[in-house]
Amino acid sequence: MSAEIAFQRDFDAPAGRVDQITPLVRRIVAPNPSPFTYTGTCSYIIGQGKVAILDPGPDSAAHIEALLHAVRGEEVTHIVATHTHHDHTPAAPAIQARTGARTVGAGPHIAARPLYIGEVNPLDASADTDFHPDIILADGDAITGPGWTLQAIATPGHTANHLAFALPENQLLFSGDHVMAWATSIVAPPDGSMGDYIRSLEILGARPEKIYLPGHGGPVREAPSFVRDYLDHRLARQAAILRSLNRAPETIPDLVRRIYIGLDPRLFDAASLTVLAHLEYLVERNEVFTEGPPSMAGLYRLTR
């Protein structure tokens, strides 16, 4: 098992440009680059004539206008969300007001589990709690337009309400933030759950699509193999946590400093939350113990 992932970072798509990815899919990148969003959020237009906009992106006037300009003369029937984070859904109200399209998603933002007393999630601001879709899709449900189908695949993990969408007419899949070519996804409790995330990776890895179009960065190619690398990476991260705890009980900051060598300091909080997600999963599997529910403040040790 290797923890190495062959990331694909050859992505040249300036914000605001309309790129025709397939005859059915256009992409516009939002002007919101960051260590979490790479070059910006990828919004996709699916179809011709009567179209859906998938992941409309942040509340950016420039991005909203770029999307609406790209579909001028067409009817936007659906505004689709893979999940409810502030880099994916806040543009939806403005686009809906201008087009009359219905919003679509798994439901409003929910957490995988509640915050515990004294626990703080420094990424709480990432959640868009204002998005309440007009159409709620469960696993296997679909919306359609002329010549296109978007079939929902429940992929909780990055958030509890995360959906991927298969586009069978092009044999590709929109993977949101669950699988991306440029980096691994953040799994941050209470929104995220590592157990759910790993199970969702296993579901995607068993599917036939070879190409994923993610929420940030360029296409994921040879997707089933890439998903296996993602799974191996998560298992290797868990093994590193267990090796570290084999030396002595440790806190989450201790584990992050020991495991994430060369980490960008701006990502320390995100890495800490991902380690918490791994520890929750290991506590659930009875491999690690901590007093009370797993939390950022806990001291962790092996159960044996």
Side-chain angles (χ1 to χ4, degrees), residues 265-282:
R266 295 173 296 176
L267 300 178
F268 190 89
D269 287 342
S272 298
L273 286 163
T274 296
V275 169
L276 172 59
H278 277 294
L279 289 165
E280 284 187 331
Y281 183 54
L282 291 168

Side-chain angles (χ1 to χ4, degrees), residues 47-92:
Q48 298 285 343
K50 292 187 176 182
V51 305
I53 294 175
L54 186 140
D55 281 346
D59 186 11
S60 158
H63 186 58
I64 291 165
E65 290 305 318
L67 282 168
L68 292 172
H69 183 72
V71 298
R72 66 193 184 283
E74 300 179 282
E75 179 185 352
V76 181
T77 60
H78 301 87
I79 302 166
V80 184
T82 58
H83 64 292
T84 46
H85 274 165
H86 265 127
D87 53 328
H88 285 260
T89 48

Side-chain angles (χ1 to χ4, degrees), residues 84 108-115 121 124 127 159-161 188-193 196:
T84 46
H109 191 83
I110 55 172
R113 53 94 169 140
L115 282 169
N121 179 351
D124 269 348
T159 62
N161 66 351
D191 295 352
S193 162
D196 287 344

Side-chain angles (χ1 to χ4, degrees), residues 134-295:
D134 302 316
I135 300 171
I136 294 178
L137 298 183
D139 184 59
D141 291 343
I143 59 171
T144 62
W148 58 265
T149 307
L150 287 176
Q151 183 180 41
I153 305 152
T155 46
H158 177 66
T159 62
N161 66 351
H162 196 286
L163 294 174
F165 289 91
L167 179 65
E169 291 84 359
N170 282 173
Q171 298 181 324
L172 60 78
L173 182 142
F174 297 96
S175 56
D177 283 7
H178 200 82
V179 179
M180 299 178 291
W182 72 282
T184 54
S185 180
I186 293 170
V187 181
D191 295 352
S193 162
M194 189 60 67
D196 287 344
Y197 185 80
I198 288 172
R199 286 185 285 270
S200 294
L201 281 178
E202 292 169 343
I203 288 168
L204 290 185
R207 292 186 60 86
E209 293 87 3
K210 298 293 193 296
I211 301 291
Y212 293 174
L213 297 179
H216 308 278
V220 177
R221 305 186 188 280
E222 300 300 329
S225 174
F226 196 81
V227 168
R228 286 194 296 273
D229 290 344
Y230 247 52
L231 275 167
D232 285 349
H233 170 81
R234 292 299 180 184
L235 294 175
R237 187 72 77 199
Q238 286 178 191
I241 290 171
L242 293 171
R243 284 195 304 271
S244 190
L245 293 180
N246 192 46
R247 299 172 65 259
E250 291 193 308
T251 65
I252 287 175
D254 293 333
L255 288 164
V256 172
R257 284 188 284 267
R258 187 178 301 280
I259 294 169
Y260 287 82
I261 306 301
L263 178 69
D264 183 334
R266 295 173 296 176
L267 300 178
F268 190 89
D269 287 342
S272 298
L273 286 163
T274 296
V275 169
L276 172 59
H278 277 294
L279 289 165
E280 284 187 331
Y281 183 54
L282 291 168
V283 168
E284 175 188 322
R285 291 164 58 90
N286 200 35
E287 296 182 56
V288 168
F289 174 80
T290 186
E291 294 287 348
S295 71

